[in-house]
Amino acid sequence: MIRKAVKDDIADIAAIYEKIVNSSDCLTGWLPGVYPTADTALSALEKGELFVYADNLTGRVRGSCILNKKQSSAYTLGSWRYQAADDEVMVLHTITVDPEYAGKGIGDALMDFYEEYAKRSGCSVLRFNANINNTPARKLYEKHGCIEAGTIRKDLNGLPEAVYVLYEKKLK
């Protein structure tokens, strides 16, 4: 089940962030204590932008994402195919799946939710980025019909400069 996050979800979300950034095969480029943190989730919660995938039986958070219409200033460097006003673009930030539940369809469910949420919010285009080394995430995005819109070399979210692949999808 995917729903808006509540304050009681923050500890679970922060624990997932920590599992990801502390894993030996972390491909996100995220750093412990830098991004993402519990404060990242709390800020998004306060803005009504944080969503969770909760286990139907236990209610425990198994994944999360932040959705809003805020494109990074670095996105001006993109080679976007689809032109849209800022208020017609839904941006995906900080999508996570608890590593213990990887491969169970949670990422797919979050991507499907993202698309439907964008449509309900009057958006015609999806946009987001992924670290160039994050092959599993990039495969997920491409599986959901998202296309590459170039790469940028930038520091984002307080993280050191890295190469990010920009993605977009035109909604029907």
Side-chain angles (χ1 to χ4, degrees):
M1 163 179 75
I2 299 175
R3 60 172 171 74
K4 274 204 171 189
V6 296
K7 191 158 186 154
D8 287 345
D9 296 325
I10 298 298
D12 284 345
I13 295 166
I16 293 170
Y17 291 168
E18 288 179 24
K19 285 181 190 178
I20 292 169
V21 300
N22 290 317
S23 71
S24 60
D25 61 346
C26 180
L27 302 172
T28 61
W30 298 343
L31 294 174
V34 177
Y35 185 87
T37 65
D39 286 342
T40 305
L42 189 56
S43 175
L45 172 76
E46 290 169 350
K47 296 173 189 165
E49 300 171 347
L50 183 62
F51 297 86
V52 296
Y53 179 102
D55 184 284
N56 284 332
L57 297 175
T58 66
R60 295 291 307 267
V61 174
R62 303 298 184 213
S64 66
C65 65
I66 299 170
L67 303 176
N68 60 39
K69 296 180 180 181
K70 296 177 187 117
Q71 298 180 75
S72 165
S73 61
Y75 283 18
T76 60
L77 304 172
S79 302
W80 304 109
R81 268 188 214 184
Y82 308 116
Q83 299 305 311
D86 287 346
D87 66 345
E88 296 174 335
V89 176
M90 185 63 66
V91 183
L92 171 69
H93 308 269
T94 324
I95 184 172
T96 67
V97 174
D98 185 325
E100 294 176 36
Y101 293 87
K104 301 204 182 292
I106 295 169
D108 289 318
L110 287 167
M111 288 299 292
D112 290 342
F113 177 81
Y114 169 38
E115 187 168 330
E116 288 306 313
Y117 182 78
K119 288 177 185 176
R120 288 193 317 267
S121 300
C123 294
S124 59
V125 175
L126 306 178
R127 287 188 183 153
F128 53 97
N129 62 269
N131 186 295
I132 197 163
N133 298 317
N134 195 346
T135 306
R138 294 179 60 203
K139 285 181 181 177
L140 173 69
Y141 305 149
E142 290 164 10
K143 175 182 172 184
H144 284 268
C146 302
I147 58 172
E148 290 187 21
T151 59
I152 56 172
R153 180 177 293 277
K154 209 64 181 138
D155 56 328
L156 295 174
N157 301 314
L159 299 168
E161 185 175 285
V163 177
Y164 296 93
V165 179
L166 300 176
Y167 283 94
E168 71 179 330
K169 181 176 180 178
K170 178 79 171 160
L171 299 176
K172 298 175 184 180

Short mmCIF file of all heavy atoms in Angstrom, two decimals, residues 39-98:
data_model
loop_
_atom_site.label_atom_id
_atom_site.label_comp_id
_atom_site.label_asym_id
_atom_site.label_seq_id
_atom_site.Cartn_x
_atom_site.Cartn_y
_atom_site.Cartn_z
N ASP A 39 16.22 14.27 8.58
CA ASP A 39 15.77 15.64 8.32
C ASP A 39 15.26 15.80 6.89
O ASP A 39 14.34 16.59 6.64
CB ASP A 39 16.89 16.65 8.59
CG ASP A 39 17.14 16.85 10.08
OD1 ASP A 39 16.26 16.49 10.89
OD2 ASP A 39 18.22 17.36 10.42
N THR A 40 15.86 15.07 5.94
CA THR A 40 15.37 15.08 4.56
C THR A 40 13.92 14.62 4.53
O THR A 40 13.05 15.27 3.92
CB THR A 40 16.22 14.15 3.67
OG1 THR A 40 17.60 14.50 3.78
CG2 THR A 40 15.77 14.20 2.22
N ALA A 41 13.66 13.51 5.20
CA ALA A 41 12.31 12.95 5.23
C ALA A 41 11.35 13.87 6.00
O ALA A 41 10.22 14.10 5.56
CB ALA A 41 12.34 11.56 5.86
N LEU A 42 11.80 14.38 7.12
CA LEU A 42 10.94 15.25 7.93
C LEU A 42 10.55 16.52 7.18
O LEU A 42 9.40 16.94 7.21
CB LEU A 42 11.66 15.60 9.24
CG LEU A 42 10.81 16.31 10.29
CD1 LEU A 42 9.57 15.51 10.65
CD2 LEU A 42 11.65 16.56 11.54
N SER A 43 11.50 17.11 6.48
CA SER A 43 11.20 18.30 5.69
C SER A 43 10.15 18.00 4.61
O SER A 43 9.21 18.77 4.42
CB SER A 43 12.49 18.83 5.05
OG SER A 43 12.21 19.92 4.21
N ALA A 44 10.32 16.88 3.92
CA ALA A 44 9.35 16.49 2.89
C ALA A 44 7.99 16.18 3.51
O ALA A 44 6.94 16.52 2.94
CB ALA A 44 9.87 15.29 2.11
N LEU A 45 7.98 15.55 4.67
CA LEU A 45 6.73 15.26 5.37
C LEU A 45 5.98 16.55 5.68
O LEU A 45 4.77 16.65 5.43
CB LEU A 45 7.02 14.49 6.66
CG LEU A 45 5.82 14.27 7.58
CD1 LEU A 45 4.92 13.18 7.03
CD2 LEU A 45 6.27 13.92 8.98
N GLU A 46 6.71 17.53 6.21
CA GLU A 46 6.09 18.80 6.58
C GLU A 46 5.49 19.52 5.38
O GLU A 46 4.54 20.28 5.51
CB GLU A 46 7.11 19.69 7.29
CG GLU A 46 7.46 19.16 8.67
CD GLU A 46 8.67 19.83 9.31
OE1 GLU A 46 9.39 20.60 8.61
OE2 GLU A 46 8.92 19.57 10.51
N LYS A 47 6.03 19.27 4.19
CA LYS A 47 5.51 19.89 2.96
C LYS A 47 4.44 19.03 2.29
O LYS A 47 3.91 19.41 1.24
CB LYS A 47 6.66 20.12 1.98
CG LYS A 47 7.69 21.10 2.48
CD LYS A 47 8.88 21.14 1.55
CE LYS A 47 10.01 21.94 2.16
NZ LYS A 47 11.28 21.71 1.47
N GLY A 48 4.16 17.86 2.85
CA GLY A 48 3.17 16.96 2.25
C GLY A 48 3.67 16.26 1.00
O GLY A 48 2.88 15.85 0.16
N GLU A 49 5.00 16.09 0.88
CA GLU A 49 5.59 15.55 -0.35
C GLU A 49 6.18 14.15 -0.17
O GLU A 49 6.71 13.58 -1.12
CB GLU A 49 6.71 16.49 -0.82
CG GLU A 49 6.21 17.88 -1.12
CD GLU A 49 7.30 18.91 -1.38
OE1 GLU A 49 8.49 18.63 -1.10
OE2 GLU A 49 6.96 20.00 -1.87
N LEU A 50 6.08 13.58 1.02
CA LEU A 50 6.69 12.30 1.33
C LEU A 50 5.65 11.18 1.28
O LEU A 50 4.59 11.29 1.89
CB LEU A 50 7.33 12.36 2.71
CG LEU A 50 8.09 11.13 3.20
CD1 LEU A 50 9.28 10.81 2.29
CD2 LEU A 50 8.57 11.35 4.64
N PHE A 51 5.99 10.13 0.54
CA PHE A 51 5.10 8.99 0.39
C PHE A 51 5.84 7.72 0.77
O PHE A 51 7.06 7.63 0.62
CB PHE A 51 4.61 8.88 -1.06
CG PHE A 51 3.80 10.07 -1.47
CD1 PHE A 51 4.43 11.22 -1.96
CD2 PHE A 51 2.43 10.08 -1.34
CE1 PHE A 51 3.70 12.33 -2.32
CE2 PHE A 51 1.68 11.20 -1.71
CZ PHE A 51 2.32 12.33 -2.20
N VAL A 52 5.09 6.74 1.28
CA VAL A 52 5.71 5.48 1.69
C VAL A 52 4.97 4.30 1.09
O VAL A 52 3.76 4.36 0.83
CB VAL A 52 5.75 5.32 3.23
CG1 VAL A 52 6.62 6.39 3.85
CG2 VAL A 52 4.37 5.32 3.84
N TYR A 53 5.73 3.24 0.88
CA TYR A 53 5.19 1.93 0.58
C TYR A 53 5.20 1.20 1.91
O TYR A 53 6.26 0.95 2.48
CB TYR A 53 6.05 1.20 -0.45
CG TYR A 53 5.52 -0.17 -0.79
CD1 TYR A 53 4.82 -0.39 -1.97
CD2 TYR A 53 5.70 -1.25 0.07
CE1 TYR A 53 4.32 -1.65 -2.29
CE2 TYR A 53 5.20 -2.50 -0.23
CZ TYR A 53 4.51 -2.70 -1.41
OH TYR A 53 4.02 -3.93 -1.71
N ALA A 54 4.01 0.88 2.42
CA ALA A 54 3.90 0.20 3.70
C ALA A 54 3.42 -1.23 3.48
O ALA A 54 2.55 -1.48 2.64
CB ALA A 54 2.93 0.95 4.61
N ASP A 55 4.01 -2.15 4.23
CA ASP A 55 3.62 -3.55 4.18
C ASP A 55 2.16 -3.68 4.60
O ASP A 55 1.75 -3.14 5.63
CB ASP A 55 4.52 -4.34 5.14
CG ASP A 55 4.26 -5.83 5.08
OD1 ASP A 55 3.23 -6.27 5.65
OD2 ASP A 55 5.08 -6.54 4.49
N ASN A 56 1.36 -4.37 3.81
CA ASN A 56 -0.06 -4.51 4.09
C ASN A 56 -0.35 -5.23 5.40
O ASN A 56 -1.34 -4.94 6.06
CB ASN A 56 -0.77 -5.25 2.94
CG ASN A 56 -0.98 -4.36 1.73
OD1 ASN A 56 -1.08 -3.15 1.85
ND2 ASN A 56 -1.02 -4.97 0.57
N LEU A 57 0.50 -6.16 5.78
CA LEU A 57 0.26 -6.93 7.01
C LEU A 57 0.77 -6.23 8.26
O LEU A 57 0.07 -6.17 9.27
CB LEU A 57 0.92 -8.31 6.89
CG LEU A 57 0.37 -9.21 5.78
CD1 LEU A 57 1.17 -10.51 5.70
CD2 LEU A 57 -1.11 -9.51 6.03
N THR A 58 1.98 -5.70 8.19
CA THR A 58 2.60 -5.13 9.39
C THR A 58 2.48 -3.61 9.47
O THR A 58 2.63 -3.04 10.55
CB THR A 58 4.09 -5.48 9.45
OG1 THR A 58 4.76 -4.83 8.35
CG2 THR A 58 4.31 -6.99 9.40
N GLY A 59 2.25 -2.96 8.34
CA GLY A 59 2.23 -1.50 8.30
C GLY A 59 3.61 -0.87 8.28
O GLY A 59 3.74 0.35 8.20
N ARG A 60 4.67 -1.70 8.34
CA ARG A 60 6.04 -1.19 8.34
C ARG A 60 6.40 -0.62 6.96
O ARG A 60 6.01 -1.16 5.93
CB ARG A 60 7.04 -2.29 8.68
CG ARG A 60 6.93 -2.87 10.08
CD ARG A 60 7.34 -1.91 11.18
NE ARG A 60 8.66 -1.32 11.02
CZ ARG A 60 9.77 -1.80 11.53
NH1 ARG A 60 9.76 -2.89 12.26
NH2 ARG A 60 10.92 -1.18 11.33
N VAL A 61 7.17 0.45 6.98
CA VAL A 61 7.61 1.10 5.75
C VAL A 61 8.69 0.24 5.10
O VAL A 61 9.66 -0.15 5.74
CB VAL A 61 8.14 2.52 6.05
CG1 VAL A 61 8.73 3.14 4.80
CG2 VAL A 61 7.02 3.39 6.61
N ARG A 62 8.50 -0.02 3.81
CA ARG A 62 9.46 -0.81 3.04
C ARG A 62 10.09 -0.01 1.91
O ARG A 62 11.02 -0.46 1.27
CB ARG A 62 8.79 -2.07 2.47
CG ARG A 62 8.14 -2.96 3.49
CD ARG A 62 9.15 -3.51 4.46
NE ARG A 62 8.50 -4.45 5.39
CZ ARG A 62 8.87 -4.60 6.64
NH1 ARG A 62 9.86 -3.91 7.13
NH2 ARG A 62 8.26 -5.47 7.42
N GLY A 63 9.55 1.19 1.66
CA GLY A 63 10.09 2.06 0.62
C GLY A 63 9.50 3.45 0.77
O GLY A 63 8.52 3.64 1.50
N SER A 64 10.10 4.42 0.09
CA SER A 64 9.60 5.78 0.18
C SER A 64 10.05 6.58 -1.04
O SER A 64 10.93 6.16 -1.79
CB SER A 64 10.11 6.47 1.45
OG SER A 64 11.51 6.65 1.39
N CYS A 65 9.41 7.72 -1.21
CA CYS A 65 9.83 8.66 -2.25
C CYS A 65 9.29 10.04 -1.91
O CYS A 65 8.35 10.18 -1.13
CB CYS A 65 9.37 8.22 -3.64
SG CYS A 65 7.59 8.19 -3.88
N ILE A 66 9.90 11.02 -2.51
CA ILE A 66 9.47 12.41 -2.38
C ILE A 66 9.02 12.86 -3.76
O ILE A 66 9.75 12.68 -4.74
CB ILE A 66 10.62 13.30 -1.85
CG1 ILE A 66 11.06 12.81 -0.46
CG2 ILE A 66 10.21 14.77 -1.83
CD1 ILE A 66 12.34 13.46 0.05
N LEU A 67 7.82 13.43 -3.83
CA LEU A 67 7.26 13.90 -5.10
C LEU A 67 6.86 15.35 -4.97
O LEU A 67 6.14 15.73 -4.04
CB LEU A 67 6.03 13.06 -5.47
CG LEU A 67 6.23 11.56 -5.60
CD1 LEU A 67 4.90 10.87 -5.88
CD2 LEU A 67 7.24 11.24 -6.69
N ASN A 68 7.32 16.17 -5.91
CA ASN A 68 6.92 17.57 -5.95
C ASN A 68 7.21 18.14 -7.33
O ASN A 68 7.65 17.42 -8.23
CB ASN A 68 7.63 18.38 -4.84
CG ASN A 68 9.13 18.36 -4.97
OD1 ASN A 68 9.70 18.42 -6.06
ND2 ASN A 68 9.81 18.28 -3.83
N LYS A 69 6.96 19.41 -7.47
CA LYS A 69 7.17 20.09 -8.76
C LYS A 69 8.43 20.96 -8.72
O LYS A 69 8.53 21.92 -9.47
CB LYS A 69 5.94 20.92 -9.11
CG LYS A 69 4.70 20.06 -9.34
CD LYS A 69 3.49 20.91 -9.70
CE LYS A 69 2.26 20.04 -9.91
NZ LYS A 69 1.08 20.84 -10.29
N LYS A 70 9.40 20.58 -7.89
CA LYS A 70 10.61 21.38 -7.73
C LYS A 70 11.78 20.74 -8.48
O LYS A 70 12.39 19.79 -8.01
CB LYS A 70 10.94 21.51 -6.25
CG LYS A 70 9.88 22.26 -5.49
CD LYS A 70 10.19 22.30 -4.01
CE LYS A 70 9.01 22.91 -3.28
NZ LYS A 70 8.39 21.99 -2.36
N GLN A 71 12.09 21.32 -9.62
CA GLN A 71 13.23 20.86 -10.41
C GLN A 71 14.50 21.53 -9.90
O GLN A 71 14.52 22.71 -9.61
CB GLN A 71 13.03 21.21 -11.88
CG GLN A 71 11.81 20.53 -12.49
CD GLN A 71 11.64 20.91 -13.94
OE1 GLN A 71 12.38 20.42 -14.79
NE2 GLN A 71 10.68 21.79 -14.23
N SER A 72 15.55 20.75 -9.80
CA SER A 72 16.85 21.29 -9.40
C SER A 72 17.30 22.33 -10.43
O SER A 72 17.01 22.20 -11.63
CB SER A 72 17.87 20.15 -9.34
OG SER A 72 19.18 20.66 -9.30
N SER A 73 18.02 23.33 -9.96
CA SER A 73 18.55 24.33 -10.91
C SER A 73 19.48 23.66 -11.92
O SER A 73 19.63 24.14 -13.04
CB SER A 73 19.29 25.44 -10.15
OG SER A 73 20.38 24.91 -9.43
N ALA A 74 20.08 22.53 -11.54
CA ALA A 74 20.95 21.79 -12.46
C ALA A 74 20.18 21.24 -13.66
O ALA A 74 20.77 20.96 -14.70
CB ALA A 74 21.63 20.64 -11.71
N TYR A 75 18.87 21.13 -13.52
CA TYR A 75 18.07 20.59 -14.62
C TYR A 75 18.06 21.51 -15.84
O TYR A 75 17.73 21.09 -16.93
CB TYR A 75 16.63 20.31 -14.16
CG TYR A 75 16.49 19.05 -13.34
CD1 TYR A 75 17.57 18.43 -12.72
CD2 TYR A 75 15.25 18.47 -13.17
CE1 TYR A 75 17.42 17.28 -11.98
CE2 TYR A 75 15.09 17.31 -12.42
CZ TYR A 75 16.18 16.72 -11.82
OH TYR A 75 16.03 15.58 -11.09
N THR A 76 18.45 22.77 -15.66
CA THR A 76 18.52 23.68 -16.81
C THR A 76 19.61 23.22 -17.78
O THR A 76 19.62 23.63 -18.93
CB THR A 76 18.82 25.12 -16.37
OG1 THR A 76 20.07 25.16 -15.67
CG2 THR A 76 17.70 25.66 -15.48
N LEU A 77 20.50 22.35 -17.32
CA LEU A 77 21.57 21.82 -18.17
C LEU A 77 21.13 20.61 -18.98
O LEU A 77 21.89 20.10 -19.79
CB LEU A 77 22.77 21.44 -17.30
CG LEU A 77 23.33 22.55 -16.40
CD1 LEU A 77 24.38 21.99 -15.45
CD2 LEU A 77 23.90 23.67 -17.25
N GLY A 78 19.91 20.14 -18.74
CA GLY A 78 19.42 18.94 -19.40
C GLY A 78 19.05 19.17 -20.85
O GLY A 78 18.77 20.29 -21.28
N SER A 79 19.04 18.07 -21.60
CA SER A 79 18.60 18.09 -23.00
C SER A 79 17.20 17.49 -23.05
O SER A 79 16.98 16.42 -23.60
CB SER A 79 19.57 17.25 -23.85
OG SER A 79 20.87 17.75 -23.74
N TRP A 80 16.26 18.20 -22.47
CA TRP A 80 14.90 17.69 -22.35
C TRP A 80 14.21 17.63 -23.70
O TRP A 80 14.27 18.57 -24.48
CB TRP A 80 14.09 18.56 -21.38
CG TRP A 80 14.73 18.68 -20.03
CD1 TRP A 80 15.32 19.80 -19.52
CD2 TRP A 80 14.86 17.66 -19.05
NE1 TRP A 80 15.81 19.52 -18.26
CE2 TRP A 80 15.54 18.22 -17.95
CE3 TRP A 80 14.48 16.33 -18.98
CZ2 TRP A 80 15.84 17.50 -16.79
CZ3 TRP A 80 14.78 15.60 -17.83
CH2 TRP A 80 15.45 16.18 -16.76
N ARG A 81 13.56 16.53 -23.96
CA ARG A 81 12.78 16.37 -25.20
C ARG A 81 11.41 17.01 -25.11
O ARG A 81 10.87 17.47 -26.10
CB ARG A 81 12.55 14.88 -25.47
CG ARG A 81 13.58 14.28 -26.33
CD ARG A 81 13.17 12.88 -26.70
NE ARG A 81 14.40 12.13 -26.77
CZ ARG A 81 14.51 10.90 -27.14
NH1 ARG A 81 13.44 10.21 -27.45
NH2 ARG A 81 15.66 10.31 -27.20
N TYR A 82 10.84 16.96 -23.92
CA TYR A 82 9.45 17.39 -23.75
C TYR A 82 9.42 18.72 -23.00
O TYR A 82 9.85 18.81 -21.86
CB TYR A 82 8.66 16.33 -22.98
CG TYR A 82 8.79 14.96 -23.59
CD1 TYR A 82 9.39 13.92 -22.89
CD2 TYR A 82 8.34 14.71 -24.88
CE1 TYR A 82 9.53 12.66 -23.46
CE2 TYR A 82 8.48 13.46 -25.46
CZ TYR A 82 9.08 12.44 -24.73
OH TYR A 82 9.23 11.20 -25.30
N GLN A 83 8.90 19.71 -23.67
CA GLN A 83 8.80 21.03 -23.06
C GLN A 83 7.52 21.08 -22.22
O GLN A 83 6.48 20.60 -22.64
CB GLN A 83 8.78 22.12 -24.14
CG GLN A 83 10.05 22.15 -24.98
CD GLN A 83 11.30 22.29 -24.14
OE1 GLN A 83 11.39 23.15 -23.28
NE2 GLN A 83 12.27 21.41 -24.38
N ALA A 84 7.64 21.66 -21.05
CA ALA A 84 6.49 21.80 -20.16
C ALA A 84 6.77 22.93 -19.18
O ALA A 84 7.92 23.18 -18.81
CB ALA A 84 6.26 20.49 -19.40
N ALA A 85 5.71 23.60 -18.77
CA ALA A 85 5.84 24.63 -17.74
C ALA A 85 6.22 23.95 -16.43
O ALA A 85 5.93 22.77 -16.22
CB ALA A 85 4.51 25.37 -17.59
N ASP A 86 6.87 24.68 -15.55
CA ASP A 86 7.32 24.10 -14.29
C ASP A 86 6.19 23.42 -13.51
O ASP A 86 6.41 22.39 -12.88
CB ASP A 86 7.98 25.17 -13.41
CG ASP A 86 9.35 25.58 -13.93
OD1 ASP A 86 9.93 24.86 -14.79
OD2 ASP A 86 9.87 26.61 -13.46
N ASP A 87 5.00 24.01 -13.56
CA ASP A 87 3.89 23.42 -12.80
C ASP A 87 3.27 22.21 -13.49
O ASP A 87 2.33 21.61 -12.97
CB ASP A 87 2.83 24.47 -12.47
CG ASP A 87 2.11 25.00 -13.70
OD1 ASP A 87 2.58 24.80 -14.84
OD2 ASP A 87 1.05 25.63 -13.51
N GLU A 88 3.81 21.83 -14.65
CA GLU A 88 3.35 20.63 -15.36
C GLU A 88 4.36 19.49 -15.27
O GLU A 88 4.20 18.46 -15.91
CB GLU A 88 3.10 20.95 -16.83
CG GLU A 88 1.99 21.95 -17.06
CD GLU A 88 1.88 22.36 -18.52
OE1 GLU A 88 2.89 22.27 -19.27
OE2 GLU A 88 0.80 22.78 -18.92
N VAL A 89 5.42 19.68 -14.45
CA VAL A 89 6.47 18.69 -14.32
C VAL A 89 6.47 18.14 -12.89
O VAL A 89 6.61 18.91 -11.92
CB VAL A 89 7.85 19.28 -14.64
CG1 VAL A 89 8.95 18.25 -14.41
CG2 VAL A 89 7.90 19.81 -16.06
N MET A 90 6.31 16.83 -12.75
CA MET A 90 6.40 16.19 -11.43
C MET A 90 7.78 15.57 -11.32
O MET A 90 8.21 14.83 -12.21
CB MET A 90 5.33 15.12 -11.27
CG MET A 90 5.28 14.50 -9.89
SD MET A 90 4.86 15.64 -8.54
CE MET A 90 3.16 16.07 -8.95
N VAL A 91 8.46 15.89 -10.22
CA VAL A 91 9.83 15.45 -10.01
C VAL A 91 9.87 14.40 -8.90
O VAL A 91 9.24 14.56 -7.85
CB VAL A 91 10.75 16.65 -9.65
CG1 VAL A 91 12.19 16.19 -9.51
CG2 VAL A 91 10.63 17.75 -10.70
N LEU A 92 10.61 13.35 -9.17
CA LEU A 92 10.84 12.26 -8.21
C LEU A 92 12.18 12.50 -7.52
O LEU A 92 13.19 12.70 -8.19
CB LEU A 92 10.87 10.93 -8.96
CG LEU A 92 11.30 9.69 -8.18
CD1 LEU A 92 10.25 9.31 -7.15
CD2 LEU A 92 11.53 8.53 -9.14
N HIS A 93 12.15 12.47 -6.19
CA HIS A 93 13.37 12.64 -5.41
C HIS A 93 13.49 11.47 -4.42
O HIS A 93 12.50 11.01 -3.86
CB HIS A 93 13.33 13.93 -4.57
CG HIS A 93 13.00 15.16 -5.32
ND1 HIS A 93 13.94 15.96 -5.90
CD2 HIS A 93 11.80 15.75 -5.58
CE1 HIS A 93 13.36 17.01 -6.46
NE2 HIS A 93 12.05 16.89 -6.30
N THR A 94 14.69 11.01 -4.21
CA THR A 94 15.02 10.13 -3.09
C THR A 94 14.11 8.91 -3.00
O THR A 94 13.55 8.61 -1.95
CB THR A 94 14.99 10.94 -1.76
OG1 THR A 94 15.46 12.25 -1.99
CG2 THR A 94 15.84 10.27 -0.71
N ILE A 95 13.96 8.20 -4.10
CA ILE A 95 13.18 6.97 -4.08
C ILE A 95 14.03 5.89 -3.40
O ILE A 95 15.22 5.77 -3.67
CB ILE A 95 12.73 6.54 -5.49
CG1 ILE A 95 11.83 5.30 -5.43
CG2 ILE A 95 13.91 6.38 -6.42
CD1 ILE A 95 11.18 4.93 -6.75
N THR A 96 13.42 5.16 -2.48
CA THR A 96 14.14 4.11 -1.76
C THR A 96 13.30 2.85 -1.65
O THR A 96 12.07 2.90 -1.63
CB THR A 96 14.50 4.54 -0.32
OG1 THR A 96 13.30 4.69 0.44
CG2 THR A 96 15.29 5.83 -0.30
N VAL A 97 14.03 1.74 -1.56
CA VAL A 97 13.43 0.45 -1.21
C VAL A 97 14.36 -0.16 -0.16
O VAL A 97 15.58 -0.18 -0.35
CB VAL A 97 13.33 -0.49 -2.43
CG1 VAL A 97 12.85 -1.87 -2.02
CG2 VAL A 97 12.39 0.11 -3.48
N ASP A 98 13.78 -0.62 0.93
CA ASP A 98 14.57 -1.29 1.95
C ASP A 98 15.34 -2.42 1.28
O ASP A 98 14.74 -3.27 0.61
CB ASP A 98 13.64 -1.85 3.03
CG ASP A 98 14.37 -2.45 4.21
OD1 ASP A 98 15.44 -3.07 4.00
OD2 ASP A 98 13.85 -2.34 5.32
#
